[in-house]
Amino acid sequence: QVQLQESGPGLVKPSETLSLTCTVSGDSVTSGSFYWSWIRQPPGKGLECLGYSYSSGSTKYNPSLKSRVVISVDTSKNQFSLELTSVTAADTAVYFCARGDVFDGFDSWGQGILVTVSS
Amino acid sequence: DIQLTQSPSSLSASVGDRVTITCRASQDIGNYLHWYQQKPGKAPKLLIYAAVTLHSGVPSRFSGGASGADFTLTISSLQPEDFATYYCQHSYSTPLTFGGGTKVDVK
């Protein structure tokens, strides 16, 4: 049973960079045809996929983030990470990491981490 | 971007009711459509993938349907633990997007 766990600061200042890590246990980030994704949910709102990365390094990002996002996979640590630059209050959200597959959806999720953007 | 429009945005129901939620895609997405259940303060859980396939461990009262660009999630007999918010999501192309959600609460 794969498990995912987000970690990182819960408070980030405006204009700075939000950095989160997702640690994967119970399976390897190189197994299967999965992609590794970050999804966020502003308080009281819906879900937004920021993008995803395969373990090969191939990535896809949501154009709405205008090149502010980078997702990378570290196969040696069995982790993947998110960097979101130039944050504003609009980036305040619960951030989830998730394992996905184009045919099977997101079958495993982390518990989520609340990140607040405030000075 | 492919838009997913869920309806209704909320509904009130009683235990034992049959509940159907609809998700309409803005273009053909084949069967690249998945359904999730989310409870307050928790991560979403996968219910149905590829429009009609029940995820492992999900009760059989949940079922998915598809007709063209219209998709449905049906709960045949609502149980107390089913009061939650439900989302559809497509994986047809980038960006992956979710529907706006349907909140199912107690009548």
Side-chain angles (χ1 to χ4, degrees), chain A:
Chain A
Q1 179 86 6
V2 64
Q3 292 187 315
L4 289 76
Q5 177 70 58
E6 304 89 350
S7 60
L11 181 64
V12 180
K13 290 181 168 55
S15 80
E16 295 191 345
T17 296
L18 181 161
S19 296
L20 297 174
T21 297
C22 183
T23 300
V24 180
S25 57
D27 198 6
S28 170
V29 294
T30 62
S31 71
S33 58
F34 299 112
Y35 46 69
W36 305 92
S37 183
W38 289 94
I39 296 160
R40 70 181 179 181
Q41 185 171 39
K45 296 189 177 181
L47 299 161
E48 178 185 32
C49 180
L50 307 184
Y52 58 84
S53 177
Y54 290 94
S55 60
S56 63
S58 173
T59 56
K60 291 285 188 183
Y61 299 128
N62 192 324
S64 70
L65 295 164
K66 296 179 181 177
S67 302
R68 295 196 295 130
V69 63
V70 174
I71 297 172
S72 57
V73 176
D74 187 333
T75 56
S76 67
K77 295 182 178 178
N78 219 40
Q79 295 176 335
F80 62 104
S81 63
L82 168 72
E83 288 200 341
L84 184 65
T85 61
S86 305
V87 297
T88 69
D91 296 308
T92 293
V94 175
Y95 286 76
F96 298 99
C97 59
R99 183 180 80 171
D101 180 281
V102 65
F103 301 109
D104 303 339
F106 292 109
D107 68 341
S108 299
W109 296 66
Q111 66 185 22
I113 183 169
L114 174 62
V115 179
T116 301
V117 178
S118 175
S119 54

Side-chain angles (χ1 to χ4, degrees), chain B residues 32-66:
Chain B
Y32 293 89
L33 191 286
H34 320 290
W35 290 96
Y36 303 85
Q37 177 194 69
Q38 186 180 32
K39 295 182 179 179
K42 301 293 187 181
K45 291 184 177 180
L46 180 65
L47 298 174
I48 302 280
Y49 64 92
V52 298
T53 304
L54 201 65
H55 183 55
S56 175
V58 175
S60 59
R61 62 181 179 272
F62 291 92
S63 63

Side-chain angles (χ1 to χ4, degrees), chain B residues 22-105:
Chain B
T22 297
C23 178
R24 172 167 288 174
S26 58
Q27 66 180 72
D28 176 32
I29 59 170
N31 273 5
Y32 293 89
L33 191 286
H34 320 290
W35 290 96
Y36 303 85
Q37 177 194 69
Q38 186 180 32
K39 295 182 179 179
K42 301 293 187 181
K45 291 184 177 180
L46 180 65
L47 298 174
I48 302 280
Y49 64 92
V52 298
T53 304
L54 201 65
H55 183 55
S56 175
V58 175
S60 59
R61 62 181 179 272
F62 291 92
S63 63
S67 177
D70 292 335
F71 302 87
T72 56
L73 172 70
T74 298
I75 309 171
S76 60
S77 178
L78 196 68
Q79 297 302 299
E81 59 268 33
D82 300 337
F83 292 102
T85 301
Y86 295 85
Y87 293 94
C88 57
Q89 175 248 329
H90 83 84
S91 56
Y92 183 81
S93 62
T94 302
L96 310 180
T97 57
F98 291 84
T102 297
K103 184 175 182 180
V104 178
D105 62 18

